[in-house]
Amino acid sequence: INECFKKLKPNGMIFVAFVSSYSFVWDYLIGNPGMILNEERRLQLNTIVKDENFSGHGFSDNFFIRPNDVLPFFEQFELEKLHLLNCESFLYLREPELLNQSREVVEAWLDLAEQVCERESLLSLAEHLMYIGKKY
């Protein structure tokens, strides 16, 4: 990101997406709750108990960030925070059921999710977070 920032012109905007360190929880709980009994998966899930970022092997070699660490990370750069948002909101937790609803119901849920997507207290529900900033 340092190289990207160096190339960013004044008033230029940067969009950065992160995988939340909590994404393991949602993936395993939704996809296969029994994964909690797998020792390697339990170690990954333990990052939330330890309140740590995850660096290592997930679906690839990667870094998963705690939602509370996103803003402090960007403080090292000369950026004005425009947005920090929860990309999926709480909707993806019940996506298959939601998609079976009428268009009116889906749109009402999408409207609600959009209204709270930047609420910091709900960022922990996100698998993906997006930071949008503007260079001074």
Side-chain angles (χ1 to χ4, degrees):
I1 197 160
N2 285 327
E3 292 304 312
C4 249
F5 185 76
K6 288 177 187 176
K7 294 177 184 180
L8 190 63
K9 295 179 181 171
N11 293 316
M13 292 179 56
I14 186 166
F15 297 75
V16 181
F18 292 93
V19 178
S20 168
S21 61
Y22 303 146
S23 65
F24 292 122
V25 177
W26 310 129
D27 280 349
Y28 297 165
L29 190 58
I30 292 168
N32 182 354
M35 285 185 175
I36 197 166
L37 300 179
N38 176 288
E39 186 60 30
E40 181 181 344
R41 304 296 189 214
R42 189 175 303 136
L43 290 173
Q44 292 170 344
L45 289 166
N46 208 30
T47 60
I48 67 169
V49 174
K50 295 178 182 177
D51 198 26
E52 297 175 336
N53 293 316
F54 175 82
S55 183
H57 189 75
F59 55 86
S60 64
D61 287 335
N62 45 49
F63 173 75
F64 296 166
I65 194 167
R66 292 178 331 134
N68 290 341
D69 288 341
V70 175
L71 291 178
F73 172 78
F74 283 102
E75 288 174 359
Q76 66 186 301
F77 304 104
E78 295 175 357
L79 291 168
E80 172 190 355
K81 178 196 120 187
L82 300 176
H83 303 280
L84 174 59
L85 54 103
N86 176 335
C87 295
E88 302 94 359
S89 189
F90 41 76
L91 301 180
Y92 80 98
L93 296 170
R94 303 304 298 185
E95 184 179 1
E97 294 84 357
L98 183 59
L99 293 176
N100 286 325
Q101 300 297 313
S102 71
R103 181 182 179 115
E104 182 180 26
V105 169
V106 171
E107 287 178 3
W109 278 105
L110 287 170
D111 184 52
L112 175 65
E114 182 180 5
Q115 291 177 58
V116 298
C117 70
E118 293 190 66
R119 188 165 296 163
E120 289 188 27
S121 62
L122 296 176
L123 291 177
S124 64
L125 291 174
E127 276 195 301
H128 300 89
L129 306 161
M130 179 169 283
Y131 176 89
I132 304 170
K134 183 168 77 170
K135 188 172 182 179
Y136 298 129

